[in-house]
Amino acid sequence: MSKERAYHRTRFASRDSYFVKTFFKKLILLVLVSMAYQGIWAQGQDASIQVLAHATKDKIMLRWAADRPLAWKKGNESGYIVERYTVSRNGAAVIPVESTTLTSTPLVPRPLVEWETLATSDDNAAVIAQALYGDDFDVDTMGSVDNIFAVNKELEQRFTFALIAAEQNYEAAKLAGWAFEDNTAKPGEKYLYKIKVNLLENTSYPIKEGSIYASLDFYEELPIPLGFVSIFADGNALLNWNFNLLQKTYSSYILEKSTDGNTFQKVNGQPIFNAQDSKDGEQVSLFYSDSIPNNKTFYYRVKGMTPFGEVGPPSQVESGMGLASLDYTPHILRKTITDGDNVEVEWEFPEEGNTEINGFQLRRANRPEGPYKTVKENIAPLARKTRYTGLGRINYFTVVAMGKNGTEKPSFPTIVQPLDSLPPSPPKELSGQIDTTGVVRLSWKKNEELDLAGYRIFRSNNPAAEFSQITLSVVKANEYLDTVPMANLNKKVYYKLIAEDQRYNTSDFSEPLVLEKPDLIPPSPPVIKNYEASEKGTVVNWVNSSSDDVIAHVLYRKNLAFEEEGWEQLVRIEIEDPTTYVDTDVSPGRPYAYTLVALDATGLESKPTAQIVVNTPKRLYAELVSKFNGVVDRETRRIRLSWKTDEENVSEFLLYRAEEGTSLALYKTIAGNKRSFVDTDLVVSTKYRYALQLVKKDGTQSRLKIIKIMY
């Protein structure tokens, strides 16, 4: 064993039992604390360095920690390097960024001999020294502490308790190489500090560097702790103050006490921490209970401590004294109602307590939890009963012994109810709604009677029928959930309420509440009775839906000539309108399908009727071709046909031809911009009949224009 190790075992072995067994018991709750240095508990996949910074008037203080036990061990072995990057100066960016290595050599824990003075005077420093240099770090002797926090590996033990102890002692953190002070920082400059472990580039266990932004310009005076209050009791002072408001500044607190209000001494041996993991937005108070002698004034104040060892200004001073509590408590034996609103209350109280009290008070409340109001005071110490006039419908009484030192001892409350045959008033402002699943939500104004027991709820599907009670017992709240079937035919549900007091007196019924059930049943479909296609359009006639809540019918149409087109709403016909509709917006010679649905008041639609298909007739217009002539040219053996029209939207001309004794047949299709045709397929001495038909671009056709020619 080296001389240094032997020196450690000699100097600290005798202290191990105290530090590892006793001091750890003081620290174990701190393992559960969400400390200001929360970064050390990071749960990421890669180990990293977490950094804090604090600016004073003339320097920037840095603290850091590895977030994994193995990374902590390697950092202690290899040391830490602190780099500073100047990113701005007097508001202007520094380009390129100036970089400086602030550590001439990596920071590692100082030799053990340098820890002796600090470790002897401070338990936290001793724990860090034990974690860094101790041959073992066994905390098995803590017994039940293991049930609070399981630390089952030695490295994890060293890591956990070393960082907790370093949180309490900044000087010890510097000795361990986990803190640094930059005394070369200048006002007006802003820096990015980087902390990294001095590892080889190809290490098998990389540790991410940590960084933080800081400047002397960020300096602020430490604040006064807020919300410091005290409660003094028998032999005890309970102090508490707000932790959340300043948790980003102070990680622990020092409580001080004085007997004269001027000279204060530290009360707590270890700094006081937040010993619970608070949720976001949850207010947390720190508490400390101090045992004090009674009948003597004490003064208290609290100071905050930063993770950098700085102690802030004291809070306001709280003062008070403990007063001995009464050892005797009154107990109400009987309460006797003498007539309508008078009661006699009788209690017992030990005779030996008579000399410790000034007397008794009788207090009354409307509820067992209060608030209680004093209705009779200055009752003699020897008295054991008193009378009270003015009872309400329900009364709670307590007898209070008034101690000579200002303390009080109340009896348990007791209830007094006079004879009551007066019923409560009927419930009012009953309202509710039914959702589509049949859940009914009822609510009403709460009755003001103090002795109210609750409400009973009644329901009916017919206002003329008897209402049935749907609650097996009284409902104490002024709201209720009910369910009703949605598949039956009744469309309304009716409710009534009665109020009932604790003497079973019942009110009259409330005004009935009528609720409309959501309509989930679609109407029956209408029936298309007949239809007709003419040159004027398509006429559709139907029989309305038989459902009584139908408000309209909707006629749909589909143009079957174009397969890509879907159904279009043609017209909505209100229930009071005629049951016939003429569709004039149709093209001739086209097939159309029609269907009809019924629509009720809630927007539900019936199934559509079976569709009908209507073929619109072709429309013929004789006037479209004004002249149609034929000229025979026997020399060239041809007949020249010509015609005229004023129609502009011509798609084509259809030319029909027939020989005498035969029927006309389509002979030629001629472009719409032509106005003549030469026929050369002729037989001499034959009589021909020609017919010409104009076809418009919208598909309509003219009547045939016919001429006869002898060739």
Side-chain angles (χ1 to χ4, degrees):
M1 181 183 295
S2 67
K3 290 183 179 181
E4 183 177 16
R5 182 73 67 183
Y7 174 78
H8 161 68
R9 297 304 296 169
T10 301
R11 295 293 296 169
F12 292 105
S14 62
R15 298 175 55 87
D16 286 353
S17 176
Y18 175 76
F19 292 136
V20 180
K21 298 177 184 177
T22 304
F23 181 72
F24 283 174
K25 292 180 181 179
K26 296 179 182 179
L27 289 183
I28 193 63
L29 285 180
L30 306 182
V31 178
L32 305 176
V33 173
S34 175
M35 299 179 299
Y37 211 172
Q38 291 178 14
I40 65 174
W41 308 112
Q43 297 298 319
Q45 293 297 319
D46 299 322
S48 61
I49 306 301
Q50 307 297 322
V51 190
L52 288 177
H54 176 67
T56 67
K57 291 181 178 180
D58 54 7
K59 62 183 176 183
I60 294 176
M61 308 166 75
L62 302 170
R63 281 197 56 188
W64 60 85
D67 61 5
R68 297 294 182 88
L70 182 57
W72 174 79
K73 182 174 183 295
K74 288 185 176 293
N76 295 334
E77 294 170 348
S78 303
Y80 295 92
I81 298 173
V82 181
E83 296 177 340
R84 185 183 73 190
Y85 296 82
T86 306
V87 296
S88 70
R89 183 176 289 116
N90 298 324
V94 176
I95 302 176
V97 174
E98 299 174 2
S99 62
T100 304
T101 300
L102 300 179
T103 50
S104 57
T105 59
L107 298 177
V108 295
R110 303 300 300 163
L112 184 60
V113 294
E114 297 185 25
W115 287 81
E116 181 179 6
T117 301
L118 187 59
T120 302
S121 61
D122 185 86
D123 292 341
N124 294 291
V127 170
I128 297 175
Q130 178 73 15
L132 292 171
Y133 296 108
D135 287 337
D136 57 61
F137 205 81
D138 186 5
V139 295
D140 290 343
T141 56
M142 289 190 294
S144 62
V145 174
D146 292 334
N147 296 327
I148 302 176
F149 190 80
V151 186
N152 55 17
K153 293 182 181 178
E154 183 174 326
L155 178 58
E156 292 178 350
Q157 294 172 2
R158 294 176 186 269
F159 166 74
T160 300
F161 289 104
L163 294 188
I164 292 174
E167 180 74 14
Q168 321 312 317
N169 194 314
Y170 178 67
E171 294 301 321
K174 288 198 294 184
L175 279 177
W178 306 334
F180 181 82
E181 294 179 356
D182 182 8
N183 297 300
T184 63
K186 299 178 181 180
E189 296 185 345
K190 292 181 173 59
Y191 309 108
L192 178 69
Y193 290 92
K194 291 186 177 181
I195 314 297
K196 58 185 178 182
V197 179
N198 185 34
L199 295 174
L200 297 176
E201 292 185 0
N202 297 324
T203 180
S204 60
Y205 188 77
I207 303 172
K208 291 183 179 180
E209 65 183 25
S211 62
I212 197 165
Y213 191 58
S215 171
L216 291 179
D217 299 340
F218 296 165
Y219 168 76
E220 293 181 350
E221 295 284 348
L222 293 177
I224 296 173
L226 300 174
F228 183 54
V229 295
S230 62
I231 300 175
F232 290 85
D234 186 0
N236 177 268
L238 180 64
L239 298 310
N240 75 85
W241 59 96
N242 190 291
F243 173 77
N244 292 66
L245 294 178
L246 298 177
Q247 63 179 333
K248 293 184 179 179
T249 302
Y250 296 133
S251 60
S252 60
Y253 288 86
I254 299 170
L255 183 65
E256 296 180 335
K257 180 170 66 175
S258 171
T259 57
D260 58 9
N262 296 316
T263 304
F264 286 84
Q265 294 182 341
K266 185 178 178 182
V267 176
N268 51 308
Q270 295 295 329
I272 302 172
F273 293 82
N274 171 28
Q276 67 185 73
D277 187 11
S278 61
K279 300 178 181 178
D280 293 342
E282 180 182 1
Q283 291 299 311
V284 175
S285 292
L286 297 183
F287 292 85
Y288 189 91
S289 180
D290 189 27
S291 297
I292 58 175
N294 288 329
N295 305 313
K296 182 179 180 180
T297 301
F298 288 91
Y299 304 84
Y300 292 90
R301 68 185 186 185
V302 68
K303 295 179 179 179
M305 178 182 290
T306 72
F308 298 90
E310 298 174 295
V311 178
S315 68
Q316 66 181 26
V317 175
E318 286 284 308
S319 63
M321 68 171 64
L323 297 174
S325 61
L326 284 174
D327 295 328
Y328 309 102
T329 304
H331 172 66
I332 296 177
L333 293 175
R334 284 176 290 275
K335 63 271 189 185
T336 305
I337 299 175
T338 56
D339 52 49
D341 63 348
N342 294 282
V343 64
E344 182 179 82
V345 180
E346 185 177 352
W347 64 92
E348 63 179 359
F349 187 78
E351 296 295 331
E352 56 268 32
N354 290 342
T355 58
E356 297 184 17
I357 63 174
N358 292 322
F360 301 93
Q361 287 185 357
L362 181 67
R363 296 178 183 174
R364 179 193 174 279
N366 294 326
R367 296 175 177 83
E369 67 274 11
Y372 284 85
K373 180 181 179 181
T374 300
V375 294
K376 201 164 187 179
E377 54 187 354
N378 298 323
I379 303 173
L382 299 180
R384 294 298 184 267
K385 62 183 177 180
T386 189
R387 289 178 177 272
Y388 173 73
T389 301
L391 290 175
R393 297 179 64 168
I394 187 168
N395 312 265
Y396 289 89
F397 288 101
T398 181
V399 175
V400 184
M402 309 300 295
K404 289 183 177 180
N405 60 1
T407 60
E408 300 179 356
K409 267 296 181 67
S411 70
F412 285 110
T414 184
I415 185 173
V416 176
Q417 284 184 283
L419 294 176
D420 178 20
S421 60
L422 183 65
S425 59
K428 298 178 180 179
E429 300 181 17
L430 177 59
S431 63
Q433 58 183 7
I434 308 177
D435 66 20
T436 56
T437 64
V439 175
V440 184
R441 289 174 170 82
L442 300 174
S443 63
W444 55 92
K445 183 179 180 181
K446 189 174 183 179
N447 281 45
E448 297 181 355
E449 290 83 6
L450 297 176
D451 62 341
L452 184 74
Y455 305 88
R456 296 186 184 273
I457 304 171
F458 297 78
R459 183 184 68 203
S460 175
N461 292 329
N462 186 339
E466 182 178 356
F467 280 68
S468 301
Q469 182 174 325
I470 60 174
T471 50
L472 298 178
S473 58
V474 293
V475 177
K476 296 184 180 300
N478 60 325
E479 58 185 9
Y480 185 76
L481 285 181
D482 187 26
T483 56
V484 295
M486 301 299 292
N488 55 16
L489 297 178
N490 65 298
K491 297 181 179 180
K492 296 180 181 180
V493 184
Y494 303 84
Y495 287 93
K496 288 182 180 180
L497 268 66
I498 62 171
E500 184 176 298
D501 66 18
Q502 295 176 0
R503 296 294 182 89
Y504 303 103
N505 297 312
T506 59
S507 72
D508 292 332
F509 278 111
S510 67
E511 291 295 324
L513 171 67
V514 183
L515 295 180
E516 293 275 353
K517 292 172 61 176
D519 186 3
L520 304 180
I521 303 175
S524 61
V527 177
I528 295 180
K529 189 175 181 181
N530 52 58
Y531 59 91
E532 179 184 2
S534 67
E535 290 187 2
K536 294 181 178 180
T538 302
V539 180
V540 181
N541 178 258
W542 65 90
V543 177
N544 284 344
S545 166
S546 59
S547 299
D548 57 8
D549 60 346
V550 171
I551 61 172
H553 293 80
V554 181
L555 183 64
Y556 292 88
R557 183 185 69 183
K558 183 177 182 180
N559 190 338
L560 299 179
F562 301 96
E563 294 182 357
E564 67 276 7
E565 291 188 6
W567 289 96
E568 61 173 329
Q569 180 175 323
L570 188 60
V571 65
R572 170 181 167 134
I573 305 100
E574 302 302 321
I575 193 65
E576 63 274 8
D577 292 341
T579 58
T580 299
Y581 181 77
V582 180
D583 181 15
T584 59
D585 185 22
V586 292
S587 298
R590 301 281 176 87
Y592 291 92
Y594 294 88
T595 189
L596 195 68
V597 298
L599 184 69
D600 69 13
T602 62
L604 295 175
E605 287 187 353
S606 71
K607 292 182 179 180
T609 62
Q611 69 180 34
I612 60 172
V613 177
V614 180
N615 290 292
T616 58
K618 296 180 180 179
R619 297 176 184 172
L620 304 177
Y621 298 92
E623 66 276 6
L624 294 183
V625 177
S626 57
K627 291 183 179 181
F628 183 34
N629 297 312
V631 178
V632 176
D633 187 349
R634 289 186 176 82
E635 292 183 1
T636 57
R637 296 185 177 182
R638 64 181 62 186
I639 297 175
R640 181 178 181 82
L641 303 173
S642 63
W643 57 89
K644 291 184 179 181
T645 180
D646 295 330
E647 181 60 43
E648 296 180 355
N649 297 317
V650 181
S651 172
E652 60 189 6
F653 293 97
L654 302 179
L655 181 63
Y656 297 85
R657 191 182 78 165
E659 297 179 3
E660 187 175 12
T662 63
S663 300
L664 286 170
L666 181 62
Y667 182 51
K668 297 290 182 181
T669 299
I670 304 168
N673 60 344
K674 301 295 186 180
R675 297 296 183 268
S676 63
F677 175 77
V678 176
D679 186 10
T680 59
D681 186 14
L682 302 171
V683 176
V684 177
S685 301
T686 302
K687 187 181 289 186
Y688 291 97
R689 188 156 49 99
Y690 292 95
L692 186 67
Q693 187 175 44
L694 182 150
V695 181
K696 296 174 64 175
K697 291 181 179 180
D698 63 1
T700 58
Q701 301 173 339
S702 69
R703 298 186 184 279
L704 294 177
K705 194 79 169 181
I706 301 174
I707 59 174
K708 296 178 180 180
I709 298 176
M710 181 63 189
Y711 177 73

